[in-house]
Amino acid sequence: MPVEIYKDKFTGKVLEVILGATKEQGGTRAYTVKLGGSSTLPFLYYEGELPNRPVIAMEVWDIKPQWSSSFEPYYGDVWNDPVAWAKKAEEYGADVVYLKLMGADPELENSRSAADCAKLVKDVLAATGAPLMVEGPGFPEKDNDVLQAVAEAAAGENIALGAAEKDNYRGIAAAAMMGRHCIIGRSPLDINILKQLNIMITEMGVPINKVLNDPITSGLGYGIEYSFSVMERARWGALIGDKMMALPVVCLAGPEAWRGKEANAANADAGPGWGDEKDRGIIWEAMTAAALLQAGGDLLLMRHPEAAKLVRKQIEELAVPNKY
Amino acid sequence: MAFMMIGERINGMFKDIGEAVAKFDPKPIQDWAVKQTQAGAAYLDLNVGPTAADRKKSMEWMAKIISEVSDVPIALDSTNYDAIEAALQVIGKPGALINSCPNERAKIERVFPMAAKYGAGIVALTMDKSGIPLNADARVAHAMELVAAADEFGVPTDSLFIDPLILPCNVAQAHAPEVLEALRQIKTLCDPAPHTTLGLSNVSQNTIDRSLVNRTYVVMAICAGLDSAIIDVNDETMVESIATADMLLNHAIYCDSYVKVFRQR
């Protein structure tokens, strides 16, 4: 007896957002990446269209981070050279470079100025071919200054600027509009705020197909199931026709996974059965990313090159048409 | 699925539209098309009214001038199916709505194949030559036959908008709860379920506060399974009530601007 596969029929779909601009498009990127476009839940190729695979972005800081020693063999020689670091991220297979301007933190002794940030972004763009995302230090006033300068310096490159939040989105939205860049709207695991923020950003005049959503995803073991529910609910909203929920989702898998003690603990501090510290953090990050892929993540920000490799392999295995 | 409002205002029964149709003056018709589009109409009802000399010619002309100013699909409201077919040809793309067809075999044979041919939806009425039944079961029996007809003629069931026909509460008050029960049952007839619709303003004919009666009944009906209605989309309070009912039924995710979002489609 033939088995009839149940298929959901949706009326909506996720908007497609393009990151980067090639020479023909007014930028200098070697290629662009397309995010979103799905008309069904993740990887259900038999049910709808999933024109774009999830994309891997890799994290680059503008100052030396206090990260686990397991990063040393990969980035140890470029900690103090963000341009070289970005090139290395590309070599490790980053589809997108995600530059975090942590050095612009106004509380640091030698806080990086907006002009310096702009110059750094230009240098990174000159040295790499991947589309770029730039996040400010997370202080509203400084974010505005920095991202306005960055938007100007990167005019034409169609980078993504972040992160716009409910109480601090105007300056970043203005910067994105001025430079015709994309914007990352970040909401604190709250679907109602996520939707409201998208409305406010687009009411400022940012085209809807320039908006990405970061719903703040937790790491494995720290509430990832809650993130999963929020993302699933948002995607469901998009698929039943809610345009203000229908935006590609950015997941900060790496940074969140590496906040967990399980990812970082040395063998001496590890619990029973935790496994060797050399692999543990990598697996923790890859598992976090794997769950977020199933929840509908369109762009995964990864930190460890080995974790990125594992996730890439998983995407390749999952992103196979399975028409019944 | 968000509630779909069918804007009722382009109807020759209204004096300004009636005059515009008689004189072939596009302005009042196009103004209302734009105004209702901005108010969030999912369809624009088009009814040439009783004064048009040549209904076919008027309907073609109105469909053309409405399409010039709005992308919102048109609900072609007429009992003259040749006029509707002429307008469908003018529109030239799928998605329009044929308003309406009762459960009468001859009319079904005229309308359903036409809907399939042009990719149009159908407002199908739960009545036949003997009129509108009072009780819910008889309404649902008509609906079942209309669903079967859709299947027979290759019209997807979600292109069917079943109208269980509400009557004025001051002359036929007993119909209001029967229509609600019919709506509940119609939604369980098939998968995907047909859409449901009502000529909502009918419920409040000659009542003292029409807007109050309309908006109260529409919320009750949405709760019972109504997912579209021919209404005054510029009745702000009513649209706010519909948007809120839609949100509270979890058809749309809450956000502070949810009413505004409801109007933008």
Side-chain angles (χ1 to χ4, degrees), chain A residues 58 60-61 75 78 81-92 94 97 99 124-125 127-128 130 132:
Chain A
M58 287 181 72
V60 174
W61 285 27
Y75 291 130
V78 295
D81 183 351
V83 174
W85 185 351
K87 282 173 77 168
K88 206 138 205 189
E90 273 195 315
E91 285 165 26
Y92 289 133
V97 171
L99 178 63
V124 168
L125 285 165
T128 58
L132 181 67

Side-chain angles (χ1 to χ4, degrees), chain B residues 11 14 23 73 78 99 118 145 148 201 203 214 227 233 242 254:
Chain B
N11 186 323
F14 291 100
K23 287 188 285 191
S78 178
N99 184 13
Y118 294 97
E145 288 178 31
S201 309
V203 74
N214 287 342
D227 56 25
V233 296
I242 293 173
Y254 175 84

Side-chain angles (χ1 to χ4, degrees), chain B residues 124 126 132 139 162-166 179 182-183 186 196-198 226:
Chain B
T126 60
I132 299 172
R139 282 178 158 93
I162 295 195
D163 182 348
L165 296 160
I166 185 67
V179 166
L183 285 168
I186 290 165
T196 49
T197 196
L198 284 174
L226 183 71

Side-chain angles (χ1 to χ4, degrees), chain A residues 93-114:
Chain A
D95 300 311
V96 172
V97 171
Y98 193 110
L99 178 63
K100 278 174 101 162
L101 297 167
M102 301 300 280
D105 178 345
E107 285 168 11
L108 288 178
E109 223 171 273
N110 293 312
S111 174
R112 196 185 282 277
S113 69

Side-chain angles (χ1 to χ4, degrees), chain B residues 36 56 67 71 93 132-133 146 182 187 199-200 220 222 229 252 255:
Chain B
Q36 294 185 106
K56 190 171 156 189
S67 302
D71 291 331
K93 59 179 180 193
I132 299 172
L146 290 160
K187 275 294 174 189
L200 185 75
M220 294 166 74
I222 288 171
C255 68

